[in-house]
Amino acid sequence: MKKTVTLLISGMLVLSLTACSSGNKKAFEASKEAYNNINTAYEITENFGSDIYEAWRLAIYEKDEVLDGGTAYLSSELSLSEEELNDGVAYMTLEDEWENATEEQKSAARDSADLYFSLFEDDLFSYCVILVTNAYKANGKVSEAETVLEEAKEQMKTLSEKYSDYEHYPNLKGYYTTTSSFFDFCENPTGSFEQIKTTINDYKNEARDYINDLDYIFE
């Protein structure tokens, strides 16, 4: 009798451990998918924020060079190419017509890119930030970040419902929230130059802490 009970208990323990192992594996796989999506969004957002900051700085401290060099000069200091910046001008000019605009219309708008710098000379930093924002829309990076963040949002909901007790869930949720907030800020940056510098650095530092905790787990 004792032997039978012992065997039953052993069997139950094996089943329990197997189920636990299976649950942890599923939680890991689901978390890794979310992490990869958040990472993609963060990489875009980090470049986005850096380019906004640098464009603003250049417009203040290297105003003459920006006015003289236009998109060619800006591209030498940003992660965006001259072509991407020219597309940003075209996107800004054509706005809602961008998707359906002909290549002829886009080309004409690109050719007028450097004229806008002198037109906005008195508010150059605002123009440069708007230009960067529209360049990220025109090259598809804004749309890409929105897509992967939306996917990550749905994945985080699933994780919350099924694996909220997964040990790495809190850090993953924090990484998602930070990246999403940082991206929203990049789309609509507000404040003075010093304020945006502080805000961007704070987001980067916060995200870096989460990455340091999660990277070795999911990579």
Side-chain angles (χ1 to χ4, degrees), residues 87-101:
D87 276 347
V89 175
Y91 189 96
M92 179 185 69
T93 304
L94 297 168
E95 294 184 359
D96 295 336
E97 299 174 13
W98 172 259
E99 293 298 330
N100 298 316

Side-chain angles (χ1 to χ4, degrees), residues 10-141:
S10 298
M12 289 172 65
L13 285 172
V14 169
L15 288 172
S16 177
L17 289 171
T18 302
C20 183
S21 175
S22 176
N24 284 338
K25 184 178 180 181
K26 289 179 180 178
F28 173 82
E29 291 172 349
S31 297
K32 185 173 182 179
E33 287 180 12
Y35 179 71
N36 288 339
N37 278 328
I38 299 167
N39 254 352
T40 299
Y42 180 72
E43 287 169 6
I44 293 170
T45 304
E46 184 180 30
N47 286 333
F48 198 175
S50 295
D51 283 339
I52 286 173
Y53 165 77
E54 189 63 13
W56 198 324
R57 187 190 70 79
L58 291 169
I60 294 173
Y61 298 107
E62 298 183 28
K63 184 174 181 179
D64 290 341
E65 289 85 346
V66 174
L67 289 171
D68 289 340
T71 55
Y73 178 74
L74 281 181
S75 68
S76 69
E77 304 294 324
L78 306 180
S79 68
L80 295 162
S81 67
E82 183 177 0
E83 290 74 16
E84 287 176 309
L85 288 169
N86 287 339
D87 276 347
V89 175
Y91 189 96
M92 179 185 69
T93 304
L94 297 168
E95 294 184 359
D96 295 336
E97 299 174 13
W98 172 259
E99 293 298 330
N100 298 316
T102 65
E103 187 54 39
E104 216 173 15
Q105 289 173 309
K106 290 182 180 180
S107 181
R110 293 185 192 107
D111 290 342
S112 64
D114 287 344
L115 295 175
Y116 282 96
F117 287 92
S118 57
L119 290 175
F120 289 95
E121 182 176 354
D122 293 334
D123 197 16
L124 189 61
F125 76 87
S126 293
Y127 172 66
C128 287
V129 170
I130 291 169
L131 174 56
V132 166
T133 301
N134 281 287
Y136 271 85
K137 290 178 180 177
N139 68 12
K141 291 298 182 181

Side-chain angles (χ1 to χ4, degrees), residues 162-175:
K162 295 183 178 180
Y163 311 110
S164 60
D165 59 344
Y166 182 54
E167 61 180 316
H168 302 300
Y169 174 78
N171 281 341
L172 191 63
K173 182 180 179 182
Y175 186 28

Side-chain angles (χ1 to χ4, degrees), residues 170-189:
N171 281 341
L172 191 63
K173 182 180 179 182
Y175 186 28
Y176 166 78
T177 301
T178 299
T179 300
S180 182
S181 297
F182 188 9
F183 178 71
D184 288 343
F185 173 79
C186 288
E187 286 198 287
N188 296 287

